[in-house]
Amino acid sequence: MPLSGELQALLRKVLAALIGAALGLVLLSALLIGGFVLLAKAATLGLAPWVGEAGAFGITGAVCFALLGFFFYRMMRTPSRSMGRPAGGRSSPLAAFRRLIVENPWESVLTAFALGITEQSDPRLRQFLVQSGLAFLKAANAMDDGGAENDERPPDTSANDGA
């Protein structure tokens, strides 16, 4: 079954956009790698008068391996439980909102999709969607935790909780 002309044009545009994005990613990667190579050469040339050429290559290589090892160490390390929460047990509204999104990804996606569709339309509908989405996320948390969370607490009373 042959495709219609409009569908073929749309597929060509999508394919061109994907190819353009891939070429852009390759170009940016090449520029980034080339910049690191030039930075390593500059460090070697700068160190050569003080420690000799072999010493400069050794120091530059050791620094590169140390940076690479640090990168992989950070990538492979498992995050601790208390990393996302500030000291004192208090959390900002933004941190609580991020935690809700992490704990309920599909509900957050659906709420964001609904908000994206209604962004240009009625502001009352948008406000209703935000309120109902937050109520839905709180209900999901209450079911997971066994009780409702009180996120509307005034900030001045939370300072007395940690003592």
Side-chain angles (χ1 to χ4, degrees):
M1 177 167 128
L3 297 173
S4 69
E6 290 179 11
L7 188 57
Q8 285 180 347
L10 179 66
L11 286 175
R12 283 187 190 124
K13 288 179 183 178
V14 168
L15 186 61
L18 289 174
I19 290 172
L23 288 176
L25 184 65
V26 167
L27 176 65
L28 288 176
S29 298
L31 288 174
L32 183 67
I33 292 169
F36 281 131
V37 167
L38 289 176
L39 186 64
K41 283 184 181 181
T44 304
L45 288 175
L47 288 172
W50 289 317
V51 294
E53 191 174 341
F57 278 115
I59 291 172
T60 306
V63 168
C64 289
F65 276 118
L67 287 174
L68 192 62
F70 179 71
F71 171 76
F72 281 114
Y73 168 74
R74 293 286 297 181
M75 289 295 290
M76 301 303 282
R77 189 180 70 148
T78 58
S80 65
R81 271 314 249 175
S82 63
M83 279 186 85
R85 303 196 181 199
R90 293 176 294 178
S91 62
S92 68
L94 184 60
F97 193 66
R98 284 182 180 157
R99 191 178 71 245
L100 280 174
I101 291 173
V102 169
E103 292 173 358
N104 305 296
W106 288 111
E107 293 85 355
S108 302
V109 167
L110 291 175
T111 303
F113 181 75
L115 284 174
I117 289 176
T118 62
E119 180 184 15
Q120 301 296 329
S121 65
D122 188 16
R124 291 177 296 168
L125 178 62
R126 186 173 55 209
Q127 183 65 24
F128 171 74
L129 282 171
V130 169
Q131 288 175 350
S132 62
L134 287 175
F136 186 75
L137 290 174
K138 285 181 185 179
N141 274 347
M143 290 172 57
D144 289 343
D145 297 339
E149 289 184 7
N150 189 6
D151 289 340
E152 285 88 25
R153 214 172 40 189
D156 55 66
T157 61
S158 63
N160 297 331
D161 288 346

